[in-house]
Amino acid sequence: MQTPLELQIQTLPDSPGVYQYFDKDDKLLYVGKAKNLKKRVMSYFNKVHEVGRTRVMVRKIVSIKHIVVLTESEALLLENNLIKKLQPRYNVLLKDDKTYPWICIKREPFSRIFPTRNVIKDGSEYFGPYTNFRTVHTLLDLIKELYPLRTCNYDLTPTNVRAGKYKVCLEYHIGNCKGPCEEHESLENYQHHVNAIREILKGNFKESLKDFKKLMQDLAVDMRFEEAQRIKEKIEVLESYQSRSTVFNPRINNLDCFTIISDESMAYVNFIQVSHGAIIRSHTMEIKKKLDEPDEELLEIAVVELRERFNLLSREVLASYEINLGENVNVTVPKMGDKKLILDMSERNARFFRMDQLKQIKIVDPDRHTNRVMAQMKKDLRLPEEPRHIECFDNSNIQGTNPVSACVVFKDGKPSKKDYRHFNIKTVEGPNDFASMEEVVYRRYKRLQDENQPLPQLIIIDGGKGQLSSALKSLDDLGLRGKITILGIAKRLEEIFYPGDSVPLYLDKKSETLKIIQHLRNEAHRFGITHHRDKRSKGALQTSVESIPGIGEKTMITLIKHFKSVKRMAASTEEEIAKVVGPSKAKKITEYYTDKTK
């Protein structure tokens, strides 16, 4: 069943990337780029478009796919590649032969370095693509200032140069070229400059910046301040150019990349196809787990399916795991370099796809979402059954005064506030968290047993080993050890302790299991603190009212319920108090506070 369009838009990520629109026949309508995918796609549906063709396209959109990238520049370049490859019906700007610029280091003696829009597989090196020609010209101008290079298209083979076939031109006479055509510059020296330029184009210009700054200083010493200022401005542009240019490397020519992200019930396999150094296709498929298959096995099955479906013939495959695809296919798991960046991008797309699916499930089918979370908690916490009913305890007191404890209840991973309970500590004197925890846990589950109420599958104690041991003692007294799983959570490092295990469990900081436990702990703390503050306020009011001559217990309770605090009551007029307890008692109360302030 097709996911509603509104839901697809609602679950898009707030990340840069490329989006693709498809019609009811699954034909590609449009490819676009965005700095924020969700905002950009929503803009198509939140306004009336003046251009007729745009209105027609929007009416035809049935499904949306997207590819997440790191930066807006990467989204721009990926959009270009996809439009060239897929030729969507409603894309016009990038359908022609125009493409983004590259800088080419020509494979020839005395290599020429020039901008181009056409990438030719002739062994030359191509750096880019760049998003605009301004960056290209800035880099080339900087290179030209530091390294005089030839601009002619002569075939400067050693034979032609020795034969004197060419003569120096105007560029030599004005100092822009050192004249390799007449052997005024050696090939070795020239190629040394080319190597330095190659490092600049790769983004490694630390050493070259020193040479630029030296050139600027030399110009300043020669009193050529205007030229020195121009070099300074170019250095600033180069220093601000922080992102590393993408190197068009012939060794990264045609390959396929596959990564997998999985949870308890589903796996998501992303595939990225790279051709001539550029991403031309991305796809994510879902796999429903029937058994507890390992990710390596699922990935291998998915790769075979995707290669057949998309007719992929590449003999080089990047993957999350070592998998066997036959003798003719070389599978590698890159650890660094450009190939590792491709692998990371694929994994990022799989992760975002999974997040989108989970958001949709949570909205459309909350029961399925709950079942998945409960199954994940059972696995993460090594529980004998799913924790559909969880209770969490927390103590609150200030220097031993007004000690209270709170019990909060979660059912199916959500707060059940009608089941929350407060406990006033009755048998413990002074600030003794351990004894207080022992008391409230015993009272809670003794009552549930007496009333034949259902017991929780999981008890969480807000505290370390001491509080956990005290709670466990109460369960022993009630004969509940082994019938209910109990664990403690320490705040500092979010350590989870099990009875009898000295080594704590650490959950992934982003895991849903830890988030639910943290939510339980925070709710228990909030609920307990609120009750503790109310108790302190009422205690202060009670003490103050009892000291007023002629005011008894019933009057005191009435005043407590109405005014809530001593400060509020003391600030009230005699008429306001009289409305609550009558004129005679109101007079005694106001006279008491009037005399007290004198």
Side-chain angles (χ1 to χ4, degrees), residues 395-511:
N395 293 331
S396 296
N397 67 75
I398 294 181
Q399 296 179 348
T401 63
N402 301 303
V404 298
S405 187
C407 171
V408 300
V409 180
F410 274 34
K411 293 183 177 179
D412 290 333
K414 298 176 183 177
S416 179
K417 294 192 176 183
K418 66 178 182 178
D419 296 314
Y420 285 16
R421 294 292 182 269
H422 286 135
F423 295 89
N424 294 317
I425 305 302
K426 298 179 179 179
T427 63
V428 180
E429 294 183 3
N432 190 333
D433 268 359
F434 300 157
S436 298
M437 187 63 70
E438 184 179 343
E439 176 189 326
V440 298
V441 170
Y442 183 88
R443 286 167 54 190
R444 170 64 174 169
Y445 297 113
K446 181 68 168 65
R447 180 163 187 169
L448 290 184
Q449 281 183 321
D450 293 343
E451 297 177 355
N452 292 320
Q453 296 292 322
L455 297 172
Q457 288 88 31
L458 176 63
I459 299 171
I460 296 175
I461 304 300
D462 183 11
K465 296 179 182 179
Q467 287 91 338
L468 179 61
S469 297
S470 300
L472 189 63
K473 184 177 178 182
S474 294
L475 294 186
D476 285 336
D477 293 342
L478 294 169
L480 294 177
R481 181 187 274 243
K483 297 180 180 180
I484 308 175
T485 302
I486 184 169
L487 56 85
I489 179 170
K491 292 185 178 71
R492 189 170 65 90
L493 297 175
E494 305 293 33
E495 299 168 315
I496 295 176
F497 292 97
Y498 289 85
D501 191 347
S502 61
V503 180
L505 171 69
Y506 295 94
L507 294 173
D508 188 327
K509 300 300 182 185
K510 297 181 180 179
S511 73

Side-chain angles (χ1 to χ4, degrees), residues 173-219:
H173 294 291
I174 62 176
N176 289 340
C177 174
K178 291 188 176 180
C181 56
E182 289 191 19
E183 296 186 287
H184 295 305
E185 182 178 22
S186 68
L187 178 60
E188 181 182 1
N189 183 66
Y190 190 97
Q191 290 305 128
H192 176 74
H193 291 167
V194 171
N195 291 336
I197 293 168
R198 184 180 292 109
E199 292 304 309
I200 292 175
L201 296 176
K202 287 181 180 179
N204 302 326
F205 25 76
K206 182 178 180 180
E207 293 299 322
S208 295
L209 277 172
K210 292 181 182 178
D211 294 333
F212 285 134
K213 290 174 182 177
K214 183 178 183 304
L215 175 61
M216 178 182 66
Q217 293 168 357
D218 291 343
L219 290 170

Side-chain angles (χ1 to χ4, degrees), residues 156-309:
L156 298 183
T157 61
T159 302
N160 291 340
V161 172
R162 284 195 297 269
K165 191 173 182 179
Y166 307 111
K167 298 294 183 182
V168 294
C169 61
L170 180 61
E171 291 292 306
Y172 170 77
H173 294 291
I174 62 176
N176 289 340
C177 174
K178 291 188 176 180
C181 56
E182 289 191 19
E183 296 186 287
H184 295 305
E185 182 178 22
S186 68
L187 178 60
E188 181 182 1
N189 183 66
Y190 190 97
Q191 290 305 128
H192 176 74
H193 291 167
V194 171
N195 291 336
I197 293 168
R198 184 180 292 109
E199 292 304 309
I200 292 175
L201 296 176
K202 287 181 180 179
N204 302 326
F205 25 76
K206 182 178 180 180
E207 293 299 322
S208 295
L209 277 172
K210 292 181 182 178
D211 294 333
F212 285 134
K213 290 174 182 177
K214 183 178 183 304
L215 175 61
M216 178 182 66
Q217 293 168 357
D218 291 343
L219 290 170
V221 170
D222 293 341
M223 310 294 285
R224 297 158 63 183
F225 297 117
E226 291 185 2
E227 295 176 58
Q229 177 61 27
R230 285 197 294 270
I231 297 298
K232 181 182 177 183
E233 292 171 356
K234 293 177 180 180
I235 289 174
E236 290 172 351
V237 172
L238 187 58
E239 288 176 332
S240 66
Y241 182 73
Q242 297 176 355
S243 61
R244 178 180 178 272
S245 300
T246 303
V247 180
F248 185 87
N249 191 333
R251 291 175 295 177
I252 307 179
N253 187 6
N254 293 305
L255 60 81
D256 306 322
C257 179
F258 301 89
T259 55
I260 185 169
I261 296 293
S262 67
D263 53 36
E264 188 68 18
S265 58
M266 300 291 295
Y268 305 88
V269 176
N270 177 261
F271 141 64
I272 285 180
Q273 183 180 7
V274 179
S275 179
H276 305 302
I279 296 173
I280 62 172
R281 188 183 296 167
S282 177
H283 178 76
T284 303
M285 70 180 298
E286 294 179 86
I287 302 175
K288 186 174 182 179
K289 292 184 178 179
K290 294 183 179 180
L291 301 173
D292 191 19
E293 300 95 343
D295 284 354
E296 294 92 330
E297 181 181 330
L298 291 172
L299 181 62
E300 192 168 86
I301 295 170
V303 170
V304 172
E305 165 66 22
L306 288 168
R307 283 174 65 87
E308 183 178 351
R309 182 187 303 181

Side-chain angles (χ1 to χ4, degrees), residues 128-152:
Y130 298 92
T131 55
N132 56 67
F133 256 110
R134 181 176 177 274
T135 303
V136 172
H137 288 312
T138 299
L139 287 170
L140 291 177
D141 286 347
L142 280 166
I143 291 167
K144 185 178 179 180
E145 290 285 352
L146 190 58
Y147 305 110
L149 300 172
R150 74 180 182 110
T151 57
C152 61

